[in-house]
Amino acid sequence: MQTNIIDNKADRLFTVIYSKSDKETIVLLHGGPGFPSDLTEVVNSLKDSFQVITFHQRGTEKSPCASKEYSMEAYLCDLEAIRKFYQIDKFHLWAFLGWTLCPNLC
């Protein structure tokens, strides 16, 4: 397990990676500002078979949102910043609510 802070323009994202570079990558999304969670139980069930990344979404816990920008585009740009930082070609999103990642947005 390794923690990193990723700068995304004016904002910072606290991330945790359970590194398995030879495995597929899953990015876990918690339930948002009303439900910050590190999803420990889910991580524990996945980390042996996948490379798992969790992060505190903008404005939650250790990811301050100086820009005060909470649009869907901003969240997608956060995911793109995480993808670039960890040099990941593709990943699966596991979330309570799923959406399509648009890598050309940012």
Side-chain angles (χ1 to χ4, degrees):
M1 178 180 99
Q2 178 183 357
T3 62
N4 293 293
I5 301 293
I6 299 173
D7 290 319
N8 186 21
K9 301 177 183 166
D11 302 312
R12 298 169 53 93
L13 301 169
F14 174 81
T15 65
V16 179
I17 185 168
Y18 300 82
S19 187
K20 291 236 185 242
S21 58
D22 60 327
K23 302 289 185 179
E24 286 187 88
T25 301
I26 294 177
V27 177
L28 296 176
L29 305 177
H30 62 69
F35 182 72
S37 170
D38 291 329
L39 300 169
T40 305
E41 297 83 10
V42 178
V43 169
N44 288 336
S45 68
L46 296 173
K47 70 181 181 180
D48 291 333
S49 301
F50 298 92
Q51 176 167 263
V52 179
I53 299 171
T54 65
F55 70 103
H56 292 183
Q57 291 178 19
R58 56 178 46 232
T60 303
E61 299 276 323
K62 298 178 184 176
S63 291
C65 184
S67 70
K68 304 295 185 217
E69 175 62 45
Y70 296 101
S71 68
M72 184 59 72
E73 287 182 17
Y75 286 114
L76 291 172
C77 285
D78 290 346
L79 289 170
E80 179 65 2
I82 291 168
R83 186 191 70 77
K84 286 179 179 177
F85 181 85
Y86 288 111
Q87 300 176 348
I88 299 167
D89 290 332
K90 65 179 182 175
F91 57 82
H92 302 285
L93 291 174
W94 281 37
F96 295 111
L97 298 173
W99 63 67
T100 302
L101 177 63
C102 302
N104 297 325
L105 244 173
C106 307

